[in-house]
Amino acid sequence: MWSRIQTAVEMIYPPRCLGCGELVTADFGLCGSCWRDTPFIAGTVCEACGTPLPGQQDGYRIECDDCMATPRPWKDGRSALLYTGRARRMILALKHGDRPELARPAALWMAKIAKYMMHDKMLIAPVPLHWTRLLKRRYNQSALLAQHLSSETGLPHCPDLMIRSKKTPMLEGKTVQERTEILSQAITVHPKRRHRLIQRDILLVDDVMTSGATLTACAQACLAAGANHIFVLTLARVAKDA
Ligand SMILES: [Zn+2]
Ligand SMILES: [Zn+2]
């Protein structure tokens, strides 16, 4: 019965490539040529921020210069895509263009790359958006990714684990330190959700990681509230030379 409904739905709304709109066979994904065009991150990466690194993985932990100079408050961080070309266009569409249907396949790619760091007792939590921005955009793209990630992996998620109590000014032109300071005053753990994170590993989810200032503020808020280890998973990573 269910499969018949499914088939009927597919006849009305045949699955299309997220990149170009061509018909595809799978319900989540890209056609072959868009797949090849999408900058998925593979190979050696910095264990802390997920940025691609030259050379081979040798079994020891590898970190990039930035993460070695300023250690991250989380254990491991991964991104599915490089924030460039087609990936950048898809993320902008998810963020501003009202294309929430991109979140499901995106969450599948994220689940794949972060599989090794996930475990049963982990709690998934999105980076919060201030409510005024939420009104403007209608949805928080990070919360949407977290929700799909949760249904894909079976791990619990808490959409409002953290809140943005203050609206932060534009962060452009500010140093990483200044950004982190501004953000850590704005991001707090929701007092009514605090019990969910105590002594638990948290998987922080966001759409894009640039300097990591927002994720740092979130990780610090979770740690201060009593979380165990923090892990970071983003859809895309802005690489220095990208
Ligand atoms: Zn395509
Ligand atoms: Zn790094």
Side-chain angles (χ1 to χ4, degrees):
M1 162 86 162
W2 175 244
S3 72
R4 243 188 292 158
I5 294 172
Q6 195 83 345
T7 312
V9 168
E10 275 165 18
M11 280 167 71
I12 306 166
Y13 302 108
R16 294 191 175 268
C17 170
L18 297 160
C20 66
E22 279 289 303
L23 290 174
V24 288
T25 46
D27 161 35
F28 39 87
L30 298 161
C31 72
S33 106
C34 289
W35 188 271
R36 283 188 296 278
D37 254 18
T38 304
F40 286 98
I41 294 177
T44 308
V45 295
C46 167
E47 309 269 356
C49 74
T51 210
L53 292 175
Q56 294 278 313
Q57 217 104 21
D58 57 3
Y60 291 96
R61 186 178 177 86
I62 311 174
E63 288 190 7
C64 71
D65 295 346
D66 284 357
C67 292
M68 288 212 281
T70 317
R72 310 279 182 183
W74 58 80
K75 274 182 95 87
D76 288 2
R78 288 292 185 277
S79 288
L81 305 164
L82 266 186
Y83 189 68
T84 174
R86 183 180 292 283
R88 188 170 166 274
R89 289 198 297 277
M90 280 197 308
I91 289 157
L92 289 174
L94 174 68
K95 207 171 191 157
H96 304 291
D98 259 344
R99 288 198 63 196
E101 76 277 12
L102 295 175
R104 184 165 173 247
L108 287 171
W109 306 333
M110 290 163 83
K112 200 168 164 230
I113 198 146
K115 201 170 176 210
Y116 86 95
M117 59 161 90
M118 291 175 164
H119 63 81
D120 298 355
K121 303 218 164 55
M122 208 169 214
L123 182 67
I124 300 175
V127 165
L129 201 66
H130 192 263
W131 66 269
T132 51
R133 295 229 166 107
L134 196 58
L135 276 185
K136 223 189 285 174
R137 287 197 199 146
R138 299 202 288 145
Y139 60 88
N140 171 1
Q141 71 283 0
S142 305
L144 203 60
L145 290 170
Q147 183 198 319
H148 282 286
L149 203 58
S150 167
S151 50
E152 182 55 33
T153 59
L155 296 181
H157 88 295
C158 184
D160 57 353
L161 185 70
M162 282 159 284
I163 42 176
R164 250 185 222 236
S165 43
K166 273 194 275 180
K167 198 174 172 187
T168 38
M170 287 301 284
L171 298 173
E172 260 164 56
K174 301 259 195 308
T175 67
V176 180
Q177 264 85 1
E178 288 169 337
R179 284 172 190 227
T180 310
E181 213 157 285
I182 293 169
L183 288 163
S184 58
Q185 288 164 7
I187 295 174
T188 49
V189 168
H190 194 310
K192 292 211 169 109
R193 304 284 175 266
R194 191 179 161 224
H195 67 279
R196 294 197 67 180
L197 66 64
I198 293 181
Q199 288 180 6
R200 210 157 176 194
D201 284 357
I202 308 296
L203 183 65
L204 291 178
V205 170
D206 206 357
D207 55 347
V208 183
M209 173 172 170
T210 310
S211 68
T214 313
L215 288 159
T216 297
C218 290
Q220 286 168 344
C222 289
L223 289 170
N228 188 34
H229 294 301
I230 312 294
F231 295 82
V232 159
L233 179 57
T234 59
L235 176 54
R237 175 81 173 102
V238 178
K240 264 185 175 170
D241 49 351

